[in-house]
mmCIF file of all heavy atoms in Angstrom:
data_model
loop_
_atom_site.group_PDB
_atom_site.id
_atom_site.type_symbol
_atom_site.label_atom_id
_atom_site.label_comp_id
_atom_site.label_asym_id
_atom_site.label_seq_id
_atom_site.Cartn_x
_atom_site.Cartn_y
_atom_site.Cartn_z
ATOM 1 N N GLY I 214 -2.030 21.572 5.893
ATOM 2 C CA GLY I 214 -1.402 20.491 5.141
ATOM 3 C C GLY I 214 -2.308 19.896 4.082
ATOM 4 O O GLY I 214 -1.962 19.835 2.897
ATOM 5 N N ALA I 215 -3.494 19.471 4.482
ATOM 6 C CA ALA I 215 -4.435 18.870 3.541
ATOM 7 C C ALA I 215 -5.094 19.931 2.664
ATOM 8 O O ALA I 215 -5.175 19.784 1.442
ATOM 9 C CB ALA I 215 -5.494 18.071 4.295
ATOM 10 N N GLY I 216 -5.580 21.004 3.274
ATOM 11 C CA GLY I 216 -6.248 22.057 2.509
ATOM 12 C C GLY I 216 -5.332 22.712 1.501
ATOM 13 O O GLY I 216 -5.766 23.104 0.410
ATOM 14 N N GLY I 217 -4.044 22.826 1.845
ATOM 15 C CA GLY I 217 -3.092 23.410 0.905
ATOM 16 C C GLY I 217 -2.941 22.574 -0.347
ATOM 17 O O GLY I 217 -2.869 23.100 -1.461
ATOM 18 N N LEU I 218 -2.888 21.242 -0.185
ATOM 19 C CA LEU I 218 -2.804 20.372 -1.360
ATOM 20 C C LEU I 218 -4.081 20.471 -2.188
ATOM 21 O O LEU I 218 -4.034 20.529 -3.429
ATOM 22 C CB LEU I 218 -2.566 18.923 -0.934
ATOM 23 C CG LEU I 218 -2.531 17.920 -2.086
ATOM 24 C CD1 LEU I 218 -1.339 18.163 -2.999
ATOM 25 C CD2 LEU I 218 -2.520 16.478 -1.571
ATOM 26 N N ILE I 219 -5.228 20.488 -1.535
ATOM 27 C CA ILE I 219 -6.504 20.582 -2.247
ATOM 28 C C ILE I 219 -6.566 21.868 -3.066
ATOM 29 O O ILE I 219 -6.947 21.858 -4.244
ATOM 30 C CB ILE I 219 -7.675 20.481 -1.248
ATOM 31 C CG1 ILE I 219 -7.741 19.057 -0.662
ATOM 32 C CG2 ILE I 219 -9.004 20.857 -1.903
ATOM 33 C CD1 ILE I 219 -8.592 18.934 0.589
ATOM 34 N N ALA I 220 -6.159 22.986 -2.458
ATOM 35 C CA ALA I 220 -6.161 24.258 -3.183
ATOM 36 C C ALA I 220 -5.180 24.227 -4.353
ATOM 37 O O ALA I 220 -5.491 24.686 -5.456
ATOM 38 C CB ALA I 220 -5.831 25.405 -2.231
ATOM 39 N N ALA I 221 -3.984 23.676 -4.108
ATOM 40 C CA ALA I 221 -2.976 23.622 -5.173
ATOM 41 C C ALA I 221 -3.437 22.750 -6.331
ATOM 42 O O ALA I 221 -3.238 23.094 -7.508
ATOM 43 C CB ALA I 221 -1.659 23.101 -4.609
ATOM 44 N N GLU I 222 -4.087 21.631 -6.021
ATOM 45 C CA GLU I 222 -4.568 20.744 -7.073
ATOM 46 C C GLU I 222 -5.746 21.352 -7.830
ATOM 47 O O GLU I 222 -6.075 20.912 -8.930
ATOM 48 C CB GLU I 222 -4.937 19.383 -6.488
ATOM 49 C CG GLU I 222 -3.739 18.535 -6.110
ATOM 50 C CD GLU I 222 -2.928 18.097 -7.323
ATOM 51 O OE1 GLU I 222 -3.525 17.842 -8.385
ATOM 52 O OE2 GLU I 222 -1.681 18.013 -7.209
ATOM 53 N N ALA I 223 -6.374 22.376 -7.236
ATOM 54 C CA ALA I 223 -7.438 23.112 -7.934
ATOM 55 C C ALA I 223 -6.890 24.291 -8.721
ATOM 56 O O ALA I 223 -7.664 25.074 -9.274
ATOM 57 C CB ALA I 223 -8.483 23.591 -6.930
ATOM 58 N N GLY I 224 -5.572 24.429 -8.762
ATOM 59 C CA GLY I 224 -4.954 25.471 -9.572
ATOM 60 C C GLY I 224 -4.455 26.673 -8.820
ATOM 61 O O GLY I 224 -3.910 27.602 -9.433
ATOM 62 N N ALA I 225 -4.621 26.701 -7.509
ATOM 63 C CA ALA I 225 -4.179 27.848 -6.724
ATOM 64 C C ALA I 225 -2.691 27.740 -6.409
ATOM 65 O O ALA I 225 -2.109 26.653 -6.411
ATOM 66 C CB ALA I 225 -4.982 27.957 -5.432
ATOM 67 N N ARG I 226 -2.106 28.861 -6.130
ATOM 68 C CA ARG I 226 -0.746 28.905 -5.601
ATOM 69 C C ARG I 226 -0.835 29.023 -4.089
ATOM 70 O O ARG I 226 -1.641 29.806 -3.574
ATOM 71 C CB ARG I 226 0.024 30.082 -6.186
ATOM 72 C CG ARG I 226 1.456 30.177 -5.682
ATOM 73 C CD ARG I 226 2.226 31.321 -6.340
ATOM 74 N NE ARG I 226 3.523 31.485 -5.708
ATOM 75 C CZ ARG I 226 4.380 32.470 -5.962
ATOM 76 N NH1 ARG I 226 4.055 33.388 -6.874
ATOM 77 N NH2 ARG I 226 5.529 32.555 -5.325
ATOM 78 N N VAL I 227 -0.043 28.245 -3.375
ATOM 79 C CA VAL I 227 -0.041 28.247 -1.911
ATOM 80 C C VAL I 227 1.390 28.506 -1.459
ATOM 81 O O VAL I 227 2.316 27.818 -1.899
ATOM 82 C CB VAL I 227 -0.549 26.916 -1.345
ATOM 83 C CG1 VAL I 227 -0.588 26.968 0.183
ATOM 84 C CG2 VAL I 227 -1.926 26.567 -1.902
ATOM 85 N N GLY I 228 1.582 29.487 -0.594
ATOM 86 C CA GLY I 228 2.940 29.776 -0.146
ATOM 87 C C GLY I 228 2.948 30.808 0.954
ATOM 88 O O GLY I 228 1.908 31.181 1.505
ATOM 89 N N GLY I 229 4.172 31.281 1.270
ATOM 90 C CA GLY I 229 4.360 32.325 2.254
ATOM 91 C C GLY I 229 4.880 33.584 1.591
ATOM 92 O O GLY I 229 4.788 33.752 0.375
ATOM 93 N N LEU I 230 5.449 34.449 2.389
ATOM 94 C CA LEU I 230 6.006 35.688 1.864
ATOM 95 C C LEU I 230 7.386 35.456 1.261
ATOM 96 O O LEU I 230 8.141 34.594 1.712
ATOM 97 C CB LEU I 230 6.103 36.738 2.972
ATOM 98 C CG LEU I 230 4.781 37.292 3.529
ATOM 99 C CD1 LEU I 230 5.066 38.279 4.656
ATOM 100 C CD2 LEU I 230 3.948 37.945 2.435
ATOM 101 N N GLU I 231 7.712 36.232 0.240
ATOM 102 C CA GLU I 231 9.046 36.277 -0.358
ATOM 103 C C GLU I 231 9.561 34.897 -0.773
ATOM 104 O O GLU I 231 10.713 34.552 -0.547
ATOM 105 C CB GLU I 231 10.019 36.960 0.591
ATOM 106 C CG GLU I 231 9.627 38.403 0.890
ATOM 107 C CD GLU I 231 10.617 39.123 1.769
ATOM 108 O OE1 GLU I 231 10.771 38.717 2.935
ATOM 109 O OE2 GLU I 231 11.223 40.101 1.291
ATOM 110 N N GLY I 232 8.668 34.107 -1.367
ATOM 111 C CA GLY I 232 9.060 32.819 -1.913
ATOM 112 C C GLY I 232 9.124 31.677 -0.933
ATOM 113 O O GLY I 232 9.453 30.548 -1.324
ATOM 114 N N ARG I 233 8.837 31.928 0.310
ATOM 115 C CA ARG I 233 8.860 30.854 1.299
ATOM 116 C C ARG I 233 7.627 29.976 1.144
ATOM 117 O O ARG I 233 6.595 30.417 0.641
ATOM 118 C CB ARG I 233 8.930 31.424 2.718
ATOM 119 C CG ARG I 233 10.218 32.183 3.009
ATOM 120 C CD ARG I 233 10.352 32.491 4.497
ATOM 121 N NE ARG I 233 9.363 33.453 4.953
ATOM 122 C CZ ARG I 233 9.512 34.781 4.914
ATOM 123 N NH1 ARG I 233 10.604 35.309 4.375
ATOM 124 N NH2 ARG I 233 8.574 35.575 5.387
ATOM 125 N N PRO I 234 7.700 28.724 1.592
ATOM 126 C CA PRO I 234 6.507 27.890 1.584
ATOM 127 C C PRO I 234 5.497 28.387 2.612
ATOM 128 O O PRO I 234 5.832 29.214 3.484
ATOM 129 C CB PRO I 234 7.041 26.504 1.949
ATOM 130 C CG PRO I 234 8.296 26.764 2.692
ATOM 131 C CD PRO I 234 8.892 28.007 2.087
ATOM 132 N N ALA I 235 4.280 27.905 2.536
ATOM 133 C CA ALA I 235 3.276 28.222 3.549
ATOM 134 C C ALA I 235 3.843 27.897 4.920
ATOM 135 O O ALA I 235 4.521 26.877 5.103
ATOM 136 C CB ALA I 235 2.008 27.418 3.288
ATOM 137 N N ASN I 236 3.572 28.757 5.885
ATOM 138 C CA ASN I 236 4.137 28.573 7.218
ATOM 139 C C ASN I 236 3.311 29.354 8.224
ATOM 140 O O ASN I 236 2.490 30.196 7.846
ATOM 141 C CB ASN I 236 5.603 29.018 7.236
ATOM 142 C CG ASN I 236 5.759 30.508 7.002
ATOM 143 O OD1 ASN I 236 5.708 31.306 7.929
ATOM 144 N ND2 ASN I 236 5.909 30.896 5.725
ATOM 145 N N PRO I 237 3.520 29.105 9.535
ATOM 146 C CA PRO I 237 2.735 29.822 10.539
ATOM 147 C C PRO I 237 2.947 31.333 10.526
ATOM 148 O O PRO I 237 2.090 32.068 11.018
ATOM 149 C CB PRO I 237 3.202 29.200 11.859
ATOM 150 C CG PRO I 237 3.647 27.826 11.482
ATOM 151 C CD PRO I 237 4.300 27.995 10.143
ATOM 152 N N GLY I 238 4.084 31.791 9.992
ATOM 153 C CA GLY I 238 4.284 33.236 9.896
ATOM 154 C C GLY I 238 3.226 33.884 9.039
ATOM 155 O O GLY I 238 2.608 34.886 9.420
ATOM 156 N N LEU I 239 3.002 33.313 7.864
ATOM 157 C CA LEU I 239 1.913 33.752 6.996
ATOM 158 C C LEU I 239 1.692 32.700 5.921
ATOM 159 O O LEU I 239 2.652 32.205 5.331
ATOM 160 C CB LEU I 239 2.214 35.101 6.339
ATOM 161 C CG LEU I 239 0.958 35.785 5.769
ATOM 162 C CD1 LEU I 239 0.149 36.443 6.888
ATOM 163 C CD2 LEU I 239 1.298 36.814 4.710
ATOM 164 N N THR I 240 0.452 32.372 5.702
ATOM 165 C CA THR I 240 0.067 31.467 4.628
ATOM 166 C C THR I 240 -0.849 32.213 3.667
ATOM 167 O O THR I 240 -1.821 32.844 4.095
ATOM 168 C CB THR I 240 -0.632 30.216 5.182
ATOM 169 O OG1 THR I 240 0.318 29.456 5.934
ATOM 170 C CG2 THR I 240 -1.178 29.349 4.071
ATOM 171 N N LEU I 241 -0.501 32.149 2.388
ATOM 172 C CA LEU I 241 -1.255 32.807 1.321
ATOM 173 C C LEU I 241 -1.753 31.762 0.337
ATOM 174 O O LEU I 241 -1.070 30.759 0.086
ATOM 175 C CB LEU I 241 -0.367 33.773 0.547
ATOM 176 C CG LEU I 241 0.150 35.028 1.231
ATOM 177 C CD1 LEU I 241 1.252 35.650 0.390
ATOM 178 C CD2 LEU I 241 -0.976 36.011 1.412
ATOM 179 N N CYS I 242 -2.912 32.021 -0.254
ATOM 180 C CA CYS I 242 -3.453 31.104 -1.250
ATOM 181 C C CYS I 242 -4.356 31.877 -2.203
ATOM 182 O O CYS I 242 -5.272 32.578 -1.768
ATOM 183 C CB CYS I 242 -4.236 29.980 -0.571
ATOM 184 S SG CYS I 242 -5.028 28.830 -1.705
ATOM 185 N N ALA I 243 -4.089 31.748 -3.496
ATOM 186 C CA ALA I 243 -4.924 32.360 -4.532
ATOM 187 C C ALA I 243 -4.417 31.864 -5.876
ATOM 188 O O ALA I 243 -3.325 31.295 -5.970
ATOM 189 C CB ALA I 243 -4.868 33.882 -4.478
ATOM 190 N N ALA I 244 -5.191 32.098 -6.903
ATOM 191 C CA ALA I 244 -4.738 31.772 -8.248
ATOM 192 C C ALA I 244 -3.517 32.604 -8.592
ATOM 193 O O ALA I 244 -3.350 33.725 -8.097
ATOM 194 C CB ALA I 244 -5.853 32.022 -9.260
#
Side-chain angles (χ1 to χ4, degrees):
L218 177 66
I219 291 164
E222 286 293 325
R226 180 177 173 187
V227 182
L230 292 178
E231 299 183 295
R233 295 191 292 273
N236 66 87
L239 197 78
T240 293
L241 292 167
C242 177

